[in-house]
Amino acid sequence: MSKMKSFILFILALLLVCHFPVEAGNHLWEPSHQSSLTHARWAHFDNHRRTSTSPWPNKLIPICYGNLEAERELGPYIKAAMDLWYAAGLPAEYKIQRAHHLKCVLERPDVLWVYIDPGAFFSSVGKEKPKENPRRGGPVAALHISHNQLGDPAANIAHELGHAWGLLHENHNPVFWAPNNFDKVFKFRCDHLADFDDKIMGLQQWEIWGHDGICRSSEAAMKAQFSAYQYLPIHDAVSKHGWYVTEDDVDWNSIMMLPSWVGGNHRGSPLFHLDGGLIGANLVPSAQDVEGIRHLYEYRLSYEAELLLNDPRAFEYSLFRQYAPGCGH
Ligand SMILES: [Zn+2]
């Protein structure tokens, strides 16, 4: 436990009350050659706030498939995806198991509903509470094997399972952004997002680029259902890391990292290294991805005090979910 206390970063993600399908985020960790005790960083939802999500009890995600086709098609990939997590170091006690059909019917809020949706690719972050989206009634994962975010079906689903366990995207960490959400360790090109042209139609410049514009504020982007919310920082997050981070503090190896080649339009990619270099896709979880999940499920009592920092808006938020960039919705 004391070792875990040396982890530097805590991000509290906040859940936006959304009434549209969203997806749970990616998230990154540092390469295993570095000490995970001194360089660990990750983003997961804040379990100590009155949020609308929570960790899964007993490190178990019970899943129900929407239909037989979903089970037949997605089942093997979900297993392969969990094997990627185990290979990266996630203990075997973390399990995803098919729930009894009665549980699926009678205990909907306590299961992850997995279904095929060729037009979307997203998952709830953690055990989303039903009040956040009464129509869904509980946590969901909309998956399909043709999604090409990472270029590999098992890797794509491993990324989504990272969300299902509770992880967010590395780039949601506000310490990686300069004031007013300008570039710091990433180079973000909002006008390169696939849905930029559609979303700015009819908007004034300040509604796009202003402090609360859809290219600057994750809340505004979320409200507009604009994919920028997958990139912009979640400022209702707390970091012990401080603001003195550099590119070296980013876990570029995380499976929760968004590679440059997804989510862009004819102008180019939306996210780069600060020097303009492309961010590659990671096909397996990193050591710090695993640490992030373990922190949420095993060490959450160790950081309660840190979570009580500056977060005036936190209680207004419920669940953060996100669309996967580059998906065909
Ligand atoms: Zn994601």
Side-chain angles (χ1 to χ4, degrees):
M1 182 70 82
S2 62
K3 288 201 295 185
M4 294 305 294
K5 285 181 179 174
S6 68
F7 280 142
I8 329 180
L9 173 64
F10 299 109
I11 299 216
L12 319 183
L14 297 191
L15 320 186
L16 302 178
V17 181
C18 346
H19 299 288
F20 50 93
V22 256
E23 167 214 279
N26 305 351
H27 176 109
L28 309 183
W29 264 270
E30 190 61 58
S32 55
H33 68 264
Q34 280 193 305
S35 163
S36 63
L37 298 181
T38 55
H39 292 279
R41 60 197 71 82
W42 17 251
H44 60 61
F45 67 81
D46 174 6
N47 188 43
H48 286 274
R49 296 184 184 280
R50 285 170 280 167
T51 60
S52 59
T53 190
S54 64
W56 291 89
N58 305 316
K59 301 169 190 158
L60 171 67
I61 302 181
I63 61 172
C64 301
Y65 291 98
N67 54 37
L68 275 180
E69 183 195 0
E71 178 166 16
R72 215 175 292 133
E73 185 167 319
L74 297 174
Y77 286 99
I78 288 176
K79 181 180 181 308
M82 275 308 288
D83 285 343
L84 292 178
W85 279 100
Y86 296 138
L90 189 69
E93 68 210 56
Y94 288 80
K95 290 192 174 96
I96 291 184
Q97 283 180 349
R98 196 183 184 291
H100 190 280
H101 68 277
L102 281 180
K103 185 179 178 74
C104 296
V105 175
L106 301 177
E107 300 174 39
R108 171 65 188 94
D110 298 323
V111 301
L112 177 67
W113 200 260
V114 177
Y115 59 98
I116 295 175
D117 185 344
F121 200 78
F122 64 90
S123 58
S124 302
V125 174
K127 187 170 177 282
E128 169 194 11
K129 293 174 184 169
K131 66 181 182 184
E132 293 316 309
N133 196 323
R135 281 178 304 168
R136 296 208 296 236
V140 296
L143 309 172
H144 55 94
I145 59 174
S146 56
H147 183 69
N148 69 350
Q149 179 178 353
L150 299 178
D152 176 82
N156 288 333
I157 292 177
H159 172 104
E160 292 309 310
L161 294 184
H163 291 319
W165 284 111
L167 300 183
L168 297 175
H169 289 167
E170 178 81 343
N171 44 281
H172 285 139
N173 183 345
V175 303
F176 292 145
W177 294 75
N180 294 318
N181 299 349
F182 284 99
D183 292 345
K184 184 173 179 182
V185 302
F186 302 106
K187 183 177 180 185
F188 176 54
R189 289 297 304 263
C190 188
D191 60 326
H192 287 187
L193 289 170
D195 50 350
F196 176 81
D197 291 344
D198 285 343
K199 296 298 179 183
I200 65 165
M201 280 177 64
L203 297 185
Q204 303 293 320
Q205 286 298 304
W206 64 269
E207 292 175 300
I208 304 168
W209 303 107
H211 182 267
D212 296 318
I214 61 170
C215 278
R216 293 279 174 232
S217 159
S218 60
E219 297 147 62
M222 178 71 86
K223 212 173 288 175
Q225 302 184 36
F226 179 29
S227 62
Y229 73 83
Q230 298 189 70
Y231 296 86
L232 292 166
I234 306 297
H235 281 287
D236 304 83
V238 175
S239 171
K240 286 180 69 181
H241 202 303
W243 297 91
Y244 311 107
V245 295
T246 69
E247 285 185 281
D248 293 338
D249 293 304
V250 177
D251 180 9
W252 299 104
N253 287 352
S254 170
I255 199 168
M256 306 305 281
M257 187 75 200
L258 299 177
S260 292
W261 58 272
V262 303
N265 61 19
H266 62 281
R267 299 183 189 94
S269 299
L271 195 69
F272 304 86
H273 287 276
L274 194 56
D275 64 3
L278 296 176
I279 299 169
N282 299 310
L283 301 183
V284 297
S286 70
Q288 289 189 51
D289 289 333
V290 171
E291 293 291 353
I293 292 178
R294 296 195 67 182
H295 186 272
L296 181 60
Y297 285 80
E298 299 176 41
Y299 305 101
R300 47 189 198 263
L301 293 181
S302 70
Y303 65 93
E304 182 166 15
E306 287 84 352
L307 298 192
L308 301 177
L309 300 179
N310 51 359
D311 185 10
R313 297 172 300 164
F315 299 112
E316 299 170 9
Y317 287 0
S318 41
L319 179 69
F320 186 88
R321 300 156 295 182
Q322 99 217 31
Y323 271 118
C327 66
H329 58 270

